[in-house]
Amino acid sequence: MNRLEHAIPAGVIMLVGLWVAWISFTQNPAEAFLFPRLISMIFLTLSIWTFVAAWVKTSEVNATISATTWMNILPGLIIGAICVFWMGKAFGFYTASIITVFTLISYYDPAPHRQISSWIKRILITAGFIAVMYLLFAMLLGVFTPRETLFR
């Protein structure tokens, strides 16, 4: 396997990590971005580590991602990108998160879409995930949540 096949994606992820870290360190108020700064530095450190490992060929991965796997991942990437770049601003953070999680669960859940019990399960999983996310970040960690967090 060519070294560049691992180094290029790892380099792109490292650049994203640099961008995220730069954004988190240039935003104000500084105390509101303490937790994002911590997470971005962990993300950046891991991405640099992965890039260096890919460049010096210490990674043990010997397979590429198949076209079938890409086609399975692509809808989730598109939904995530829509959430990050549009829905968060249009609907508010938590509303966009609810829509995104529910859409992803509905798309990837193998349970039949014609059974009411599968829809109830998806709704409960979405509600539980958003509740845990809210309790963890807003209540426990006291992290600054985006303005217009519920509705725009």
Side-chain angles (χ1 to χ4, degrees):
M1 192 151 214
N2 187 346
R3 178 186 298 185
L4 287 177
E5 285 183 297
H6 293 288
I8 289 174
V12 170
I13 297 298
M14 185 181 66
L15 291 175
V16 170
L18 283 167
W19 177 65
V20 169
W22 181 78
I23 294 229
S24 69
F25 277 93
T26 57
Q27 299 299 310
N28 287 314
E31 60 275 356
F33 287 90
L34 180 62
F35 186 72
R37 288 176 182 170
L38 174 68
I39 296 300
S40 69
M41 289 310 297
I42 292 170
F43 176 63
L44 180 60
T45 302
L46 291 174
S47 66
I48 291 170
W49 183 10
T50 303
F51 176 73
V52 170
W55 190 255
V56 297
K57 203 155 182 147
T58 60
S59 61
E60 297 292 327
V61 178
N62 291 323
T64 58
I65 297 176
S66 69
T68 304
T69 303
W70 272 115
M71 293 311 292
N72 288 337
I73 294 172
L74 188 62
L77 292 174
I78 292 169
I79 292 167
I82 289 170
C83 177
V84 168
F85 294 112
W86 179 74
M87 280 190 354
K89 292 179 182 178
F91 297 126
F93 177 72
Y94 288 111
T95 305
S97 296
I98 290 167
I99 293 168
T100 302
V101 169
F102 185 74
T103 304
L104 287 171
I105 289 172
S106 297
Y107 183 79
Y108 286 111
D109 185 14
H113 286 87
R114 293 179 185 228
Q115 290 181 354
I116 192 75
S117 62
S118 67
W119 287 105
I120 292 170
K121 180 183 77 169
R122 291 179 187 116
I123 290 168
L124 290 174
I125 290 170
T126 301
F129 178 80
I130 298 301
V132 167
M133 188 172 72
Y134 175 76
L135 291 172
L136 177 66
F137 290 109
M139 303 303 248
L140 184 65
L141 296 173
V143 175
F144 176 78
T145 55
R147 290 185 188 167
E148 302 165 344
T149 56
L150 190 55
F151 298 106
R152 182 151 171 75

